Amino acid sequence: MENGTQNKLISVIVPVYNVESFLDQCVTSIINQTYSNFELILVDDGSKDSSGAICDEWYKKDSRIKVIHQSNGGLSAARNSGLDQAKGDYVCFIDSDDFVKENYLEAFMITMSKTDADIAICDIISAKLAEPEKPLDRVIQFTAKECRAWLTNPIAREYVLMVVSWNKMYKRELFNELRFEKGKLHEDEFMINKLLKMVNKVTFVPVKSYVYRNNEESITGKNNNNDIRHLHGIDAYVERIKSVLEDEDDDKEFAAITLKWALLKLADFYRNGNPSMQNAVKKKYDAIFNEYQWLLTDKQRLKYKVFTVTPGLFCKKFVKF
């Protein structure tokens, strides 16, 4: 690694909320990094368990650690507070119920030094993530438009790797004005839309250095399946459709693929939802279908029209994931 790169400061932002059983392992994995020039910003987002006290204990142990205590505002608000205090040349987000391998930061810094990427992405270890469509065994460099190739199938590994905020290193300047949308679930889906309008180069490194835990108690876990805020993710899909149609290249093919997945995901929410969720899904499905059905072929239009008439039949016949 070049000497100049060794002197670069990384801001590692960790939102913390009711994770007393996971937090020590997360922080330990960061403190033990082979790349040591970082600041660790722990943002206690109004935890009701001992998480806040654990943050304070870590603050006493390592001068690189900063702690922010705030009233509960959600993941976006916690990350934004960390960004407001970040002093680094680069930024990473790590969720407090996950942990990272000891070379997590160093591998990113090597990549940034060699490629001058705006964003570097690593592979992850996850018990529930699908195997890749193609072997992810080489460094891949993307333009912003080329990133769309990994955003065409939300149940694929590549999609997750591209969308989530926590397996990446970013140039700090990307967040000079940019912040996560408060009050949104699936805030990462919105953030990637914004980032891909700003970046020139994104680099993927085939190293599994981030360990994701499947925490069913989290807001995105199965225990919260009927939270209406899950439909925010569909709003991000619609934002993505609008964004690409406004671009100079006017990528109608990508817009159509995104539309089909938005409708299928809505149908899946309907299939697994309670009556309140189902009513919200039907309303949103009708609105999206009516506005964007022109992107579909005649055959596709007939297919997705079925849901507006008989949702149960559509789910049984077409929702296979």
Side-chain angles (χ1 to χ4, degrees), residues 43-47 68-74 76-82:
V43 185
D44 171 30
D45 190 45
S47 295
I68 300 171
H69 295 286
Q70 63 184 36
S71 58
N72 182 250
S76 290
R79 285 176 176 166
N80 290 344
S81 293

Side-chain angles (χ1 to χ4, degrees), residues 13-269:
I13 299 171
V14 178
V16 176
Y17 181 71
N18 292 354
V19 285
E20 59 184 7
S21 59
F22 303 116
L23 186 54
D24 277 333
Q25 185 176 15
C26 176
V27 175
T28 299
S29 74
I30 299 167
I31 293 301
N32 291 335
Q33 288 293 298
T34 54
Y35 186 94
S36 60
N37 190 24
F38 63 85
E39 60 174 1
L40 171 55
I41 305 174
L42 301 174
V43 185
D44 171 30
D45 190 45
S47 295
K48 298 176 182 178
D49 62 4
S50 64
S51 295
I54 294 172
C55 289
D56 291 336
E57 287 301 312
W58 275 107
Y59 170 77
K60 298 173 185 177
K61 297 176 182 179
D62 196 305
S63 61
R64 297 173 295 180
I65 296 178
K66 301 176 181 178
V67 177
I68 300 171
H69 295 286
Q70 63 184 36
S71 58
N72 182 250
L75 180 57
S76 290
R79 285 176 176 166
N80 290 344
S81 293
L83 286 169
D84 291 342
Q85 298 298 319
K87 301 294 191 293
D89 301 287
Y90 300 98
V91 174
C92 285
F93 303 100
I94 297 175
D95 283 357
S96 51
D97 47 2
D98 300 332
F99 60 96
V100 292
K101 298 295 185 67
E102 64 179 8
N103 66 336
Y104 180 70
L105 297 180
E106 183 178 11
F108 274 145
M109 290 305 295
I110 291 172
T111 299
M112 289 296 196
S113 175
K114 289 182 177 179
T115 68
D116 191 34
D118 298 299
I119 301 174
I121 306 172
C122 74
D123 204 346
I124 69 176
I125 296 172
S126 170
K128 70 174 188 177
L129 201 58
E131 288 302 309
E133 295 178 354
K134 297 179 181 179
L136 298 176
D137 55 4
R138 63 185 179 88
V139 173
I140 305 172
Q141 294 196 32
F142 301 92
T143 63
K145 183 178 178 180
E146 288 168 344
C147 288
R148 295 176 190 171
W150 279 18
L151 291 175
T152 56
N153 181 358
I155 61 175
R157 185 184 197 92
E158 291 86 342
Y159 184 96
V160 175
L161 296 179
M162 184 61 67
V163 164
V164 297
S165 296
W166 36 257
N167 66 331
K168 297 175 175 66
M169 179 177 281
Y170 310 82
K171 286 184 177 179
R172 173 66 180 82
E173 63 199 49
L174 291 173
F175 294 99
N176 284 348
E177 306 293 336
L178 193 60
R179 291 295 184 270
F180 290 88
E181 293 196 33
K182 294 181 180 180
K184 297 289 188 182
L185 209 58
H186 304 288
E187 57 285 310
D188 292 353
E189 297 275 4
F190 291 93
M191 180 55 74
I192 196 65
N193 294 346
K194 296 175 175 62
L195 287 168
L196 292 186
K197 294 180 77 70
M198 301 171 63
V199 301
N200 294 311
K201 186 186 297 182
V202 177
T203 301
F204 168 78
V205 288
V207 179
K208 293 183 178 180
S209 53
Y210 189 103
V211 183
Y212 172 83
R213 293 183 192 268
N214 186 24
N215 182 5
E216 296 298 354
E217 297 302 318
S218 71
I219 191 62
T220 55
K222 289 184 178 180
N223 294 344
N224 295 295
N225 267 350
N226 283 297
D227 192 320
I228 297 296
R229 290 177 297 168
H230 279 300
L231 300 186
H232 292 167
I234 305 301
D235 296 335
Y237 282 30
V238 174
E239 181 183 88
R240 197 170 299 158
I241 292 169
K242 291 179 179 178
S243 178
V244 298
L245 292 177
E246 291 170 358
D247 286 348
E248 291 182 3
D249 62 328
D250 192 15
D251 192 347
K252 288 187 175 64
E253 181 180 0
F254 179 74
I257 291 171
T258 305
L259 171 62
K260 287 184 284 185
W261 274 109
L263 298 176
L264 286 170
K265 294 278 281 187
L266 279 169
D268 188 49
F269 283 128

Side-chain angles (χ1 to χ4, degrees), residues 288-305:
I288 295 172
F289 178 78
N290 289 335
E291 183 170 0
Y292 290 106
Q293 59 175 300
W294 61 272
L295 287 167
L296 304 173
T297 65
D298 290 342
K299 183 177 180 180
Q300 291 169 343
R301 198 174 298 118
L302 287 172
K303 169 183 173 180
Y304 289 99
K305 179 71 174 177

